[in-house]
Amino acid sequence: DAGVIQSPRHEVTEMGQEVTLRCKPISGHDYLFWYRQTMMRGLELLIYFNNNVPIDDSGMPEDRFSAKMPNASFSTLKIQPSEPRDSAVYFCASSFNDRETQYFGPGTRLLVL
Amino acid sequence: AQKVTQAQTEISVVEKEDVTLDCVYETRDTTYYLFWYKQPPSGELVFLIRRNSFDEQNEISGRYSWNFQKSTSSFNFTITASQVVDSAVYFCALRDYGGATNKLIFGTGTLLAVQP
């Protein structure tokens, strides 16, 4: 069974450009999470969805960040415009329900120049 | 407030040594889950184990074992006969059982370096 799939694995862009990160959760999982990992702040939850509906976006740093989940098998995290401080590894995770283990994708390593 | 503390920032051992990674947590909830994840140099986060607060039995899986003690709010992880492939950052995490959020609270991680 395929795990969580993320693309791209690496992204290098220039400040001011739009960045779109993609995630395909494990089939049958109703919860999808976006995390960010930085040296300064560690792993932090940005937003999560239940049945494609955003439930908690309190971790989204600012209006430049947005996330969507148009269907059960696809989610995007968009940064517009990107800034150098957005450089981080972005992880997507999914779980079967709200009490089950969250399984993580391989992450997208983003570098904003 | 919930908090996970991994006081050991880095540990270096020689292959075949046993090593214990410490995890101390804080929560006001009576029911919660604890997790360990491994992050190898390749960067992915690999799930290792989940325990709920009702189950204090220690668990062993091959060379890995976990010691959960509610009395000291600790969930320590031991690798027996360490191998170079065990080199990674290990994260302990906490999630409350029925809270309003599904947020995993991660510790800062322990970097384990196993030397050949």
Side-chain angles (χ1 to χ4, degrees), chain A residues 37 48 91 98-99 102, chain B residues 37 39 43 47 50 95 102:
Chain A
Q37 184 179 32
Y48 79 90
F91 286 101
D98 63 342
R99 294 177 184 175
Q102 295 179 22
Chain B
Y37 286 86
Q39 187 171 39
F47 164 72
R50 179 184 77 158
R95 194 180 89 62
N102 283 288

Side-chain angles (χ1 to χ4, degrees), chain A residues 67-86:
Chain A
K68 294 182 180 180
M69 192 165 185
N71 57 62
S73 59
F74 184 66
S75 176
T76 60
L77 178 67
K78 186 175 294 186
I79 308 172
Q80 167 63 20
S82 58
E83 297 182 2
R85 59 191 168 123
D86 302 330

Side-chain angles (χ1 to χ4, degrees), chain A residues 37-57:
Chain A
Q37 184 179 32
T38 61
M39 289 296 292
M40 292 296 295
R41 300 174 66 90
L43 278 155
E44 52 182 347
L45 178 68
L46 300 177
I47 185 171
Y48 79 90
F49 296 82
N50 177 24
N51 290 323
N52 314 336
V53 176
I55 303 300
D56 182 356
D57 65 354

Side-chain angles (χ1 to χ4, degrees), chain B residues 42-53:
Chain B
S42 51
E44 69 270 28
L45 277 165
V46 179
F47 164 72
L48 294 178
I49 189 171
R50 179 184 77 158
R51 303 297 285 180
N52 71 52
S53 52

Side-chain angles (χ1 to χ4, degrees), chain B residues 28-94:
Chain B
R28 293 178 183 170
D29 298 306
T30 56
T31 53
Y32 47 88
Y33 286 112
L34 294 164
F35 302 81
W36 277 94
Y37 286 86
K38 173 183 179 180
Q39 187 171 39
S42 51
E44 69 270 28
L45 277 165
V46 179
F47 164 72
L48 294 178
I49 189 171
R50 179 184 77 158
R51 303 297 285 180
N52 71 52
S53 52
F54 295 122
D55 184 0
E56 285 194 72
Q57 278 192 336
N58 291 332
E59 177 146 346
I60 298 175
S61 175
R63 296 184 297 107
Y64 295 173
S65 62
W66 291 269
N67 183 349
F68 177 29
Q69 292 194 343
K70 287 181 75 171
S71 61
T72 56
S73 296
S74 66
F75 186 43
N76 296 337
F77 173 30
T78 296
I79 302 175
T80 302
S82 60
Q83 299 176 2
V84 172
V85 293
D86 296 326
S87 297
V89 180
Y90 291 86
F91 291 95
C92 182
L94 165 71

